[in-house]
């Protein structure tokens, strides 16, 4: 059977745990044909690991998108977009494509940096990306921004945020409690417009988890391309990333990436589901 084709519109993380590198590795682990349209290049200072982000000229993104769309991706994912202009281009790319699925990972900060990439981006994501998203995968912080509720600290607050984000057009919403929500377990909330479902695994070490968010959203994208329902796609993606986190490794004194291939090569992890 022909491979399904997956496209990420994202930045390059030179250290390769996150960004388009995480997406490509994850697409490959799911046996899809992964492609990239690059938005920016992130390099790190070896002494301090401070991030240096260089955006690519918009004309270069346009050319890449033209190439990628001509290859007809089945599913498209967004990662770090960085500017309102690029957010608009990513939305247009999905509309211009024949892709059936659009997964929006609403990246707002570059991990390791505290500064929100650009506050105007949140408005652009709400206006341009949410209305066409098949699945949106905010973490707690991003869900607080996309819903306008600010800091979220409980499952009840996550439910309210998911409802608002769904009302803003996203068909399926996963709010990742992840390591930020207190407790022994890593809890995400999935909402399909009708039912709220908690997805839970053990909480594993959080020191070497660089790239967890990208890996999760890329797994959702590949699962959708491969024909899983959004619900199955999200549950399987959580199992995939849980294994990747559990088997994360120390790269240097600053960072440790997830192990993208751990689900297929090391161990499978069960995800508990519960309606709330
Ligand atoms: P990060 O905060 O590293 O960006 P996310 O919040 O994007 O991670 O989470 C990505 C996925 O990984 C979610 O499904 C989340 O629940 C899961 N996750 C995050 N941290 C852990 C952990 N320490 N143990 C198990 N799963 C985790």
């Amino acid at each position: 059977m022909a491979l399904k084709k997956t496209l990420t519109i994202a930045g390059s993380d030179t250290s390769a745990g996150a960004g388009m590198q995480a997406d490509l590795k994850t697409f490959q682990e799911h046996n899809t044909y992964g492609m990239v349209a690059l938005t920016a290049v992130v390099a790190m200072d070896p002494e301090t690991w401070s991030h240096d982000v260089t955006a690519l000229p918009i004309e270069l993104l346009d050319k890449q998108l033209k190439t990628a769309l001509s290859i007809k991706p089945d599913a498209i994912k967004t990662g770090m977009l960085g500017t309102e202009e690029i957010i608009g281009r990513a939305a247009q790319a999905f509309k211009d494509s024949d892709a059936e699925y659009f997964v929006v990972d609403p990246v707002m900060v570059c991990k390791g940096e505290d500064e929100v990439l650009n506050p105007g981006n949140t408005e652009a994501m709400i206006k341009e990306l949410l209305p066409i998203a098949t699945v949106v995968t905010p973490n707690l912080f991003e869900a607080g921004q996309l819903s306008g509720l600010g800091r979220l600290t409980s499952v009840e607050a996550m439910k309210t945020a998911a409802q608002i984000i769904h009302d803003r057009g996203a068909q399926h919403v996963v709010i990742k409690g992840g390591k930020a929500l207190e407790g022994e377990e890593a809890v995400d909330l999935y909402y399909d417009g009708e039912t709220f479902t908690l997805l839970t695994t053990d909480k594993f070490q959080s020191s070497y988890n660089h790239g967890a968010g990208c890996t999760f959203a890329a797994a959702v994208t590949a699962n959708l391309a491969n024909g899983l329902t959004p619900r199955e796609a999200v549950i399987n993606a959580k199992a995939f990333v849980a294994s990747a986190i559990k088997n994360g490794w120390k790269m240097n004194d600053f960072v440790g990436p997830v192990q993208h291939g751990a689900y297929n090569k090391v161990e499978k992890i069960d995800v508990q589901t519960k309606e709330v």
Side-chain angles (χ1 to χ4, degrees):
M1 205 180 72
L3 290 180
K4 296 295 183 184
K5 290 166 279 188
T6 42
L7 167 67
T8 183
I9 307 172
S12 163
D13 166 16
T14 305
S15 79
M20 69 88 163
Q21 288 86 349
D23 295 340
L24 280 187
K25 291 172 193 185
T26 302
F27 290 163
Q28 184 68 25
E29 290 293 328
H30 287 79
N31 207 29
T32 67
Y33 184 78
M35 300 183 279
V36 185
L38 199 60
T39 57
V41 176
V42 184
M44 297 82 190
D45 180 328
E47 304 299 327
T48 62
W49 218 246
S50 76
H51 290 37
D52 180 302
V53 182
T54 307
L56 266 57
I58 196 83
E59 303 75 36
L60 188 49
L61 178 64
D62 288 340
K63 286 183 198 168
Q64 296 176 77
L65 287 171
K66 231 169 148 180
T67 309
L69 294 193
S70 78
I71 306 170
K72 303 213 175 302
D74 297 284
I76 299 178
K77 166 190 183 287
T78 64
M80 188 175 78
L81 300 175
T83 68
E84 292 167 51
E85 192 177 33
I86 297 175
I87 290 168
R89 289 298 207 280
Q92 195 58 46
F94 176 66
K95 290 181 197 159
D96 290 346
S97 77
D98 298 325
E100 223 174 309
Y101 310 103
F102 190 46
V103 176
V104 174
D105 186 14
V107 177
M108 292 180 185
V109 288
C110 202
K111 202 179 286 176
E113 307 284 285
D114 289 334
E115 205 179 323
V116 173
L117 288 174
N118 167 1
N121 287 351
T122 304
E123 281 314 307
M125 285 181 193
I126 291 170
K127 193 161 146 260
E128 310 258 10
L129 300 182
L130 292 187
I132 54 174
T134 315
V135 181
V136 61
T137 64
N139 61 25
L140 276 189
F141 173 78
E142 293 154 353
Q145 298 293 309
L146 291 176
S147 63
L149 294 179
R151 209 165 107 79
L152 309 175
T153 53
S154 67
V155 170
E156 275 316 304
M158 288 161 75
K159 284 173 73 171
T160 310
Q163 181 73 61
I164 294 171
I165 294 167
H166 185 268
D167 290 347
R168 293 184 161 175
Q171 292 168 42
H172 303 264
V173 182
V174 195
I175 301 182
K176 300 170 294 187
K179 65 173 189 294
L181 195 68
E182 282 189 20
E184 301 286 294
E185 294 172 321
V187 180
D188 301 342
L189 178 72
Y190 169 66
Y191 182 54
D192 59 6
E194 286 181 6
T195 309
F196 294 97
T197 307
L198 285 185
L199 314 178
T200 305
T201 67
D202 287 344
K203 196 178 266 180
F204 304 111
Q205 60 79 28
S206 290
S207 303
Y208 310 129
N209 71 347
H210 178 62
C214 306
T215 300
F216 175 73
V220 172
T221 309
N223 285 335
L224 289 171
N226 281 333
L228 271 61
T229 64
R231 185 186 173 84
E232 291 165 344
V234 165
I235 294 171
N236 285 17
K238 178 147 174 88
F240 184 87
V241 77
S243 183
I245 292 168
K246 188 176 174 197
N247 293 280
W249 57 282
K250 181 173 165 135
M251 177 182 280
N252 57 27
D253 287 345
F254 304 103
V255 71
V258 301
Q259 186 178 154
H260 306 87
Y263 181 81
N264 289 330
K265 294 177 196 77
V266 184
E267 60 185 318
K268 307 252 188 287
I269 286 165
D270 282 338
V271 176
Q272 312 296 327
T273 60
K274 187 174 126 202
E275 285 187 20
V276 284

